[in-house]
Amino acid sequence: MNSFDPEFLKGVAEQCPGFQARATARALTRYYNACFKPLGLTAEQFSLLVGIGAAEGATLVDLANRAGVDPTTLSRNVQNLESRDLIHAEGGRGRAGKRLALTTSGRQLVVDASPVWSRAKAELVLRMGDEKLRSARQAMSELAKAAESACT
């Protein structure tokens, strides 16, 4: 490309897996945010509660590594969940040392949010079909692995 070409850029936007992944992630986030709104919860907060509940004692760095995000990205949500008495951090110093766990209130919120998540997922299955949704998850997983291995 020797000169600015808007048509080329349109093709990039249409063909780039990264563009589509971000657009899909934003759409799913909006969808789950709307579903969880009555509980005062965002999709990211629900994911964080699930991650902490599934791996009690994990550090923020551990959770960030599993989610493939920077720890500072999760810090605000951890602080928000702590201020709402949904999680607590013990031991160590800083993000790498403190161990995270759900409080009793946090466990109850996960219990309350689980049927909301199940209904939301069921709606996606209804709209896409179970096999297509399963294939999309598999393709996203394979794409993530391909991108990770290409970076190293």
Side-chain angles (χ1 to χ4, degrees), residues 2-21:
N2 294 331
S3 63
F4 182 78
D5 182 0
E7 290 304 312
F8 173 79
L9 298 179
K10 287 179 188 175
V12 169
E14 292 169 0
Q15 297 173 24
C16 179
F19 274 59
Q20 186 59 53

Side-chain angles (χ1 to χ4, degrees), residues 31-55:
Y31 172 65
Y32 281 106
N33 281 347
C35 293
F36 291 129
K37 188 174 184 175
L39 297 172
L41 199 58
T42 67
E44 189 174 356
Q45 291 167 343
F46 176 74
S47 294
L48 189 51
L49 290 172
V50 167
I52 292 168

Side-chain angles (χ1 to χ4, degrees), residues 52-97:
I52 292 168
E56 293 259 339
T59 66
L60 181 68
V61 171
D62 294 336
L63 294 171
N65 288 340
R66 281 191 215 120
V69 298
D70 187 82
T72 56
T73 303
L74 294 183
S75 289
R76 281 186 304 273
N77 272 325
V78 165
Q79 290 170 351
N80 177 285
L81 295 175
E82 276 187 293
S83 72
R84 292 173 57 191
D85 192 38
L86 298 172
I87 65 171
H88 63 86
E90 293 182 336
R93 295 175 72 167
R95 291 189 297 257

Side-chain angles (χ1 to χ4, degrees), residues 128-143:
M128 282 187 70
D130 195 42
E131 185 55 38
K132 206 172 194 182
L133 189 57
R134 188 179 2 264
S135 293
R137 284 193 315 266
Q138 181 65 34
M140 286 185 289
S141 176
E142 291 173 15
L143 183 58

